[in-house]
Amino acid sequence: MLSVGEKFPQFKVKATVSNDLNTAFVDIDNNTYKGKWLVVFFYPKDFTFVCPTEITGFAEVNQQFVDRDAQILTGSTDSEFVHHAWRTHHKDLNSLPFPMLADVKRELTSALGILDKNEGVAQRATFIVDPQGIIRFVYVTDLSVGRNPAEVLRVLDALQTDELCPCNWKQGEDVIKVA
């Protein structure tokens, strides 16, 4: 699995961005959000139980990521059409504010090293990528355990200070100064 300090891999995937079939699908690659922080989180499968809780959790705090010049991207190994059906038919996903990546060829998940060997789907992995394309944070949980979007936001805040941040540090608190 790629880790902190490594370059996020080159990619180009279809993404679902709306429920309107005329505008639902776009291509997204490394240059789509050039110069922004990226928060890229993968989940195992559409139409499951834990995954929509995480996706809606990130959607609820999306504006806080936008305020920090960060773009959220979510994705799985499902197709853009499956994403569209799920968005359309799941009330909590109907108006997601961020793209759903469709890594059907499993190229991005394989390049990141997060393709689950037993299930053949994306692991529940999160990456924070800085504007230069360097991975600065990796967070992976068991397929059965959802993530905490507030913790991902807290880590983004800490990374953006470019300072030493103690355990449980929150935006606005003192950072560690070494004399």
Side-chain angles (χ1 to χ4, degrees):
M1 177 171 51
L2 293 185
S3 191
V4 172
E6 296 183 275
K7 192 86 167 156
F8 197 81
Q10 292 294 311
F11 71 96
K12 181 177 181 180
V13 296
K14 289 280 183 207
T16 305
V17 296
S18 78
N19 296 345
D20 178 352
L21 279 174
N22 295 315
T23 59
F25 310 117
V26 299
D27 288 327
I28 291 183
D29 62 24
N30 298 74
N31 293 314
T32 304
Y33 300 103
K34 194 170 182 68
K36 288 190 172 290
W37 287 82
L38 294 179
V39 175
V40 187
F41 75 97
F42 292 89
Y43 59 91
K45 297 177 184 177
D46 290 0
F47 294 98
T48 57
F49 305 102
V50 175
C51 300
T53 67
E54 292 184 302
I55 296 169
T56 58
F58 275 97
E60 289 168 358
V61 294
N62 181 67
Q63 187 57 51
Q64 294 176 57
F65 285 97
V66 170
D67 292 345
R68 289 154 175 85
D69 203 29
Q71 174 63 50
I72 294 176
L73 301 172
T74 191
S76 73
T77 55
D78 291 299
S79 77
E80 67 273 23
F81 300 106
V82 175
H83 289 336
H84 182 270
W86 198 28
R87 282 179 62 115
T88 302
H89 298 291
H90 193 296
K91 67 177 177 60
D92 295 334
L93 305 179
N94 202 264
S95 58
L96 284 181
F98 44 77
M100 299 175 83
L101 305 178
D103 188 28
V104 293
K105 293 182 184 176
R106 291 163 168 72
E107 292 173 343
L108 182 54
T109 49
S110 293
L112 288 166
I114 60 163
L115 192 61
D116 189 86
K117 289 176 177 64
N118 295 323
E119 298 295 325
V121 297
Q123 291 178 328
R124 205 172 292 286
T126 306
F127 297 85
I128 296 178
V129 183
D130 71 18
Q132 290 73 45
I134 304 300
I135 298 168
R136 302 287 300 276
F137 171 80
V138 179
Y139 175 25
V140 183
T141 66
D142 189 87
L143 294 179
S144 65
V145 178
R147 289 162 277 210
N148 181 340
E151 174 62 6
V152 178
L153 185 63
R154 185 193 77 80
V155 172
L156 176 64
D157 285 338
L159 289 170
Q160 288 183 338
T161 70
D162 207 26
E163 299 283 348
L164 300 173
C165 297
C167 177
N168 297 322
W169 177 91
K170 291 186 181 121
Q171 187 180 43
E173 294 179 349
D174 290 337
V175 296
I176 297 172
K177 298 292 183 186
V178 178

